[in-house]
């Protein structure tokens, strides 16, 4: 009896120590996972640190007041001024005109896919629309400069439109934004409960009326989120505007003129136009900081709106 | 008892205002379909235009030649090799870190405010413009770490850029694994890690691979971030080490696009054809994988 007891004890002890070993292994694994997860936190910290730290010497040379209040961006020729509004105006120009085109088209696509399309059409159309999001932006840039500007816009507007113009870039940007608006809006529309539609049909509404007067208002927060995300993407897009919109800072919202966006200027510096250590080189980080803050605002706003609309029908 | 029969003119067809509303609704279908097709038509025009302009430049020598100031002698050799190096290294970095992050967030992290912050941070990082990642890479990898405009610096930059979207895709894949699998495994005495390793990960793997492939397609087409770290250079040798300077296919396409001569534009179109084949192959593979493992 006693012998059996010891053997049992020994077995139990072995099992327990094996278990303890497993436990130790578990915590090593967990620590590894935490370390990996912290990479993305460090990335955010590093982005903010780099942009702020490298902007400080710039703002010692160029007062923040001048940067934010002056309206001339002339970094290379005398008199040198760094008024960021001209670059922000360029970005706003592109965002405005690309949304004017992308919003109705994207919404129409979302409504069609969600309320009208039969499953067979949907299975073909949806991946095709999503393919628009996977085209590399340098390809869009080429297309904006060559096909859209030279083959379409020039014959229409003649010489009143410059070779590098906001409209060509905005048009192609709109194509890039369509899938962002369409797929997020469609998700929101798909989560509108069936009962709302059936109630409206029961009262004699047509399909169009159901789509625009019932589904669209019910999915409005999702639509707003999709637009906010599209704005953030348009603000941050670089290649299309750098290639097709020009490199002349210009305080205008006219789509026919040559402009420069924040991203376009940053790429110009990145291509080696400014010597390292010069004030032009340092302006890269000040513009980058402005760009980061602006896109952050739109992204966070979109997150908040999405969070709210998720809770609505749960 | 005479049953009053409907008169001869009775019809279920709507008339007047109702008929008009129904007609508008029927017409709206075609208007909306037309609008939905605009983007697709543009994509089609883009592809046709590129083929018309660039097809004649596609030849074996286009792949085996280095860049040149003579358009008809220039080719994709160094940029293609550069792209392969960059993508291979990026995949090596991104796969373990992204999967580990997703596992921690979904399976191990205590449900606290810190976790909420980590999730919000990931969503925001996914929306940070690529050129900002380029500035980060320039300041940290190229300058601070002193790696120069090397392949290592480039792939670290792209790794950070595609990490958030890869993590988010992996999280979704892990969430798709039914809780009953975990409970069964834990009930039989498996530890949490054994449960994740033997049950959750295999189930989530197709979704994770799909996410990785889509992220790689993004990295393969990225231009701005790599120009910022100094990859816009003339490379006339084959890359052999991670410390080499490099250039990639999208940057080569950019280079040819912005040159004024018509002949370089043909090169740009031909380069785009190659780039699109690569990117579409990635995307099709991801779509096929997702379709195959739907259930």
């Amino acid at each position: 009896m006693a012998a059996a007891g010891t053997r049992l004890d020994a077995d139990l002890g072995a099992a327990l120590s094996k278990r303890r070993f497993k436990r130790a292994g578990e915590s090593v694994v967990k620590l590894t996972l935490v370390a990996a997860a912290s990479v993305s936190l460090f990335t955010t910290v590093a982005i903010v640190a780099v942009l702020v730290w490298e902007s400080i010497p710039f703002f010692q040379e160029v007062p923040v007041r001048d940067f934010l209040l002056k309206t001339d961006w002339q970094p290379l020729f005398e008199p040198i001024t760094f008024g960021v509004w001209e670059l922000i105006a360029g970005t706003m120009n592109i965002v405005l005109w690309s949304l004017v085109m992308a919003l109705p088209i994207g919404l129409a696509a979302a409504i069609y896919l969600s309320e009208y399309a039969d499953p067979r059409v949907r299975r073909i159309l949806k991946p095709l629309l999503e393919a628009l999001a996977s085209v590399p932006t340098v390809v869009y840039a080429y297309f904006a400069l060559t096909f859209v500007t030279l083959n379409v816009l020039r014959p229409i507007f003649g010489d009143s439109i410059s070779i590098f113009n906001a409209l060509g870039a905005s048009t192609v940007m709109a194509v890039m934004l369509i899938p962002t608006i369409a797929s997020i809006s469609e998700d929101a529309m798909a989560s509108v409960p069936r009962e709302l539609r059936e109630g409206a049909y029961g009262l004699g509404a047509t399909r169009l009326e159901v789509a625009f007067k019932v589904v669209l208002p019910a999915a409005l927060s999702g639509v707003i989120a999709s637009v906010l995300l599209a704005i953030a993407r348009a603000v941050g897009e670089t290649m299309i505007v750098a290639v097709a919109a020009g490199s002349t800072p210009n305080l205008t919202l006219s789509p026919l003129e040559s402009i420069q966006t924040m991203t376009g200027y940053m790429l110009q510096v990145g291509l080696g136009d400014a010597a390292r250590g010069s004030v032009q080189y340092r302006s890269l980080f000040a513009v980058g900081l402005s760009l980061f803050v602006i896109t952050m605002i739109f992204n966070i706003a979109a997150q908040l709106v999405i969070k709210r609309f998720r809770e609505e029908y749960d | 008892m005479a049953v009053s029969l409907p008169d001869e003119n009775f019809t279920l067809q709507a008339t007047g205002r109702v008929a008009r509303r129904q007609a508008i609704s029927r017409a709206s279908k075609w208007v909306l379909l037309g609008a939905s097709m605009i983007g697709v038509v543009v994509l089609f025009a883009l592809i046709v235009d590129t083929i018309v302009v660039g097809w004649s430049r596609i030849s074996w020598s286009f792949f085996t030649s280095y860049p040149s100031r003579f358009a008809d002698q220039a080719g994709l050799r160094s940029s293609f090799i550069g792209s392969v190096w960059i993508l291979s290294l990026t995949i090596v970095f991104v796969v373990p870190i992204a999967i580990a992050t997703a596992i921690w967030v979904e399976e191990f992290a205590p449900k606290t405010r810190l976790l909420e912050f980590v999730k919000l941070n990931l969503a925001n990082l996914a929306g940070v413009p690529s050129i900002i990642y380029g500035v980060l890479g320039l300041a940290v990898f190229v300058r601070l770490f002193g790696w120069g405009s090397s392949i290592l610096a480039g792939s670290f930059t792209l790794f950070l850029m595609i990490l958030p979207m890869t993590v988010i895709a992996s999280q979704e894949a892990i969430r798709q694994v039914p809780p009953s699998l975990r409970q069964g495994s834990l009930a039989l005495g498996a530890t949490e890690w054994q449960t994740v390793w033997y049950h959750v990960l295999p189930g989530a793997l197709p979704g994770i691979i799909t996410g990785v492939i889509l992220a790689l397609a993004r990295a393969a087409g990225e231009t701005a971030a790599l120009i910022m770290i100094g990859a816009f250079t003339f490379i006339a040798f084959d890359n052999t080490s991670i410390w080499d300077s490099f250039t990639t296919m999208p940057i080569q396409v950019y280079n040819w696009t912005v040159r004024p001569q018509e002949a370089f534009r043909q090169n740009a179109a031909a380069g785009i054809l190659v780039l699109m084949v690569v990117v579409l192959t990635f995307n099709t593979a991801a779509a096929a994988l997702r379709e195959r493992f739907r259930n």
Side-chain angles (χ1 to χ4, degrees), chain A residues 12 41 49 74 100 103 111 139 144 158 162 167 182 186 188 216 218 222 244 247 252 261 281:
Chain A
L12 202 62
L41 287 178
Q74 196 167 302
V100 162
L103 182 57
I111 290 173
V139 175
S162 40
L167 187 56
E186 196 217 334
L216 186 59
S247 49
T252 177
T261 64
Y281 173 78

Side-chain angles (χ1 to χ4, degrees), chain A residues 6-302:
Chain A
T6 11
R7 240 190 76 203
L8 195 67
D9 285 351
D11 277 359
L12 202 62
L16 276 176
S17 73
K18 205 171 152 196
R19 188 157 183 87
R20 210 171 298 134
F21 175 71
K22 269 204 237 164
R23 287 285 179 208
E26 292 277 298
S27 34
V28 171
V29 165
K30 273 184 205 171
L31 277 179
T32 316
L33 295 178
V34 170
S38 63
V39 170
S40 59
L41 287 178
F42 278 127
T43 307
T44 305
V45 173
I47 289 175
V48 174
V50 162
L51 292 177
V52 171
W53 183 250
E54 301 268 357
S55 292
I56 291 172
F58 174 78
F59 286 120
Q60 279 165 352
E61 280 183 66
V62 179
V64 179
R65 194 179 58 240
D66 288 2
F67 185 73
L68 291 179
L69 295 180
K70 285 196 176 173
T71 53
D72 279 322
W73 185 268
Q74 196 167 302
L76 295 174
F77 313 105
E78 291 293 339
I80 289 175
T81 51
F82 290 96
V84 77
W85 280 103
E86 225 162 20
L87 295 182
I88 293 182
T91 298
M92 281 165 60
N93 188 327
I94 299 287
V95 169
L96 172 70
W97 294 107
S98 57
L99 271 186
V100 162
M101 292 178 260
L103 182 57
I105 297 175
L107 262 188
I111 290 173
Y112 182 79
L113 286 173
S114 151
E115 305 299 312
Y116 287 77
D118 68 278
R120 271 176 312 160
V121 178
R122 207 188 124 85
R123 248 210 324 269
I124 300 167
L125 192 57
K126 203 171 152 74
L128 274 177
L129 277 177
E130 276 165 7
L132 292 175
S134 63
V135 175
T137 54
V138 70
V139 175
Y140 278 132
Y142 165 88
F143 193 64
L145 180 65
T146 60
F147 189 82
V148 176
T149 295
L150 296 179
N151 296 354
V152 180
L153 298 180
R154 269 282 164 131
I156 297 175
F157 294 99
D159 283 342
S160 63
I161 192 164
S162 40
I163 289 281
F164 301 104
N165 62 80
L167 187 56
S170 305
T171 308
V172 173
M173 183 88 78
V175 175
M176 189 191 86
L177 297 179
I178 288 171
T180 304
I181 294 179
S183 67
I184 298 174
S185 298
E186 196 217 334
D187 284 348
M189 289 173 189
S191 71
V192 173
R194 271 181 71 96
E195 290 84 356
L196 285 185
R197 292 187 185 84
E198 281 164 1
Y201 280 128
L203 293 172
T206 64
R207 191 171 282 253
L208 178 69
E209 288 158 355
V210 170
F212 275 87
K213 294 183 180 164
V214 177
V215 177
L216 186 59
L220 196 63
S221 44
V223 173
I224 293 172
S226 79
V227 172
L228 291 171
L229 284 175
I231 293 176
R233 284 202 66 185
V235 168
E237 171 45 35
T238 309
M239 296 318 291
I240 298 175
V241 289
V243 168
S247 49
T248 36
N250 198 343
L251 198 70
T252 177
L253 290 179
S254 157
L256 301 184
E257 291 194 45
S258 184
I259 53 129
Q260 186 166 45
T261 64
M262 291 185 280
T263 52
Y265 176 75
M266 291 171 71
L267 194 81
Q268 193 186 345
V269 177
L271 285 166
D273 268 18
R276 195 189 160 195
S278 65
V279 67
Q280 288 83 5
Y281 173 78
R282 288 185 187 135
S283 68
L284 167 67
F285 297 95
V287 176
L289 185 60
S290 318
L291 176 72
F292 181 71
V293 169
I294 293 173
T295 47
M296 202 70 171
I297 289 171
F298 283 106
N299 276 322
I300 290 181

Side-chain angles (χ1 to χ4, degrees), chain A residues 19 22-23 26 29-30 32-34 36-44 46-47 50-51 54 104-105 107-113 116 118 121 123 125 128-143 145-147 150-151 175 178 203-209 212 232-233 235-239 242-243 262-264 266-267 269-271 276 281 284-285 288-289 291-292 295-296 299-300 303 307, chain B residues 18 21-22 24-26 28-33 35-40 42-43 45-47 49-50 53-54 96-97 99-101 103-105 108 114 116-118 120-133 135-136 138-140 143 159-160 163 189-194 217-218 220-225 227-228 230 232 250-251 253-254 257-258 265-266 268-269 272 275-276 279-280 283 290-291:
Chain A
R19 188 157 183 87
K22 269 204 237 164
R23 287 285 179 208
E26 292 277 298
V29 165
K30 273 184 205 171
T32 316
L33 295 178
V34 170
S38 63
V39 170
S40 59
L41 287 178
F42 278 127
T43 307
T44 305
I47 289 175
V50 162
L51 292 177
E54 301 268 357
I105 297 175
L107 262 188
I111 290 173
Y112 182 79
L113 286 173
Y116 287 77
D118 68 278
V121 178
R123 248 210 324 269
L125 192 57
L128 274 177
L129 277 177
E130 276 165 7
L132 292 175
S134 63
V135 175
T137 54
V138 70
V139 175
Y140 278 132
Y142 165 88
F143 193 64
L145 180 65
T146 60
F147 189 82
L150 296 179
N151 296 354
V175 175
I178 288 171
L203 293 172
T206 64
R207 191 171 282 253
L208 178 69
E209 288 158 355
F212 275 87
R233 284 202 66 185
V235 168
E237 171 45 35
T238 309
M239 296 318 291
V243 168
M262 291 185 280
T263 52
M266 291 171 71
L267 194 81
V269 177
L271 285 166
R276 195 189 160 195
Y281 173 78
L284 167 67
F285 297 95
L289 185 60
L291 176 72
F292 181 71
T295 47
M296 202 70 171
N299 276 322
I300 290 181
Q303 300 299 328
K307 214 170 185 180
Chain B
V18 175
R21 280 168 52 208
Q22 287 178 345
I24 293 174
S25 180
R26 272 195 300 277
S28 71
K29 173 175 182 175
W30 300 104
V31 175
L32 290 170
L33 176 62
S36 318
M37 293 298 289
I38 292 176
V40 178
V42 173
L43 180 66
L46 189 161
I47 292 172
D49 175 58
T50 316
V53 177
I97 304 284
I99 296 180
T101 305
I103 291 176
W104 185 76
V105 169
F108 289 99
L114 175 71
E116 285 303 306
F117 179 73
V118 169
L120 183 70
N121 180 50
L122 280 166
N124 278 323
L125 275 181
V128 170
S130 62
I131 195 165
I132 298 278
Y133 284 101
V135 172
L136 175 69
L138 173 70
V140 175
R143 296 272 151 78
F159 152 60
L160 292 185
L163 179 62
T191 62
E192 283 175 296
W193 174 247
Q194 287 168 333
R218 173 78 69 82
E222 181 53 38
T223 320
I227 289 181
M228 290 312 293
F232 184 75
I251 296 177
V253 167
Y254 167 76
T257 301
V258 292
R265 222 150 258 181
Q266 288 187 2
I272 284 173
L275 194 58
M276 287 291 279
V279 170
L280 287 180
N283 280 294
R290 186 160 39 190
E291 203 60 39

Side-chain angles (χ1 to χ4, degrees), chain B residues 50-122:
Chain B
T50 316
I51 292 176
V52 167
V53 177
W55 186 254
S56 60
R57 283 291 291 130
I58 300 278
S59 66
W60 186 241
S61 71
F62 186 63
F63 292 93
T64 56
S65 310
Y66 293 113
S68 160
R69 60 200 171 88
F70 303 107
D72 56 343
Q73 292 170 20
L76 281 176
R77 179 175 181 145
S78 50
S79 55
F80 186 84
I81 294 175
S83 281
V84 171
W85 269 95
I86 287 282
L87 288 184
S88 315
L89 270 191
T90 305
I91 200 175
V92 169
F93 300 140
V94 83
V95 167
I97 304 284
I99 296 180
T101 305
I103 291 176
W104 185 76
V105 169
E106 289 299 319
E107 303 286 328
F108 289 99
K111 306 270 178 283
T112 59
R113 204 167 287 167
L114 175 71
L115 181 65
E116 285 303 306
F117 179 73
V118 169
K119 284 181 177 172
L120 183 70
N121 180 50
L122 280 166

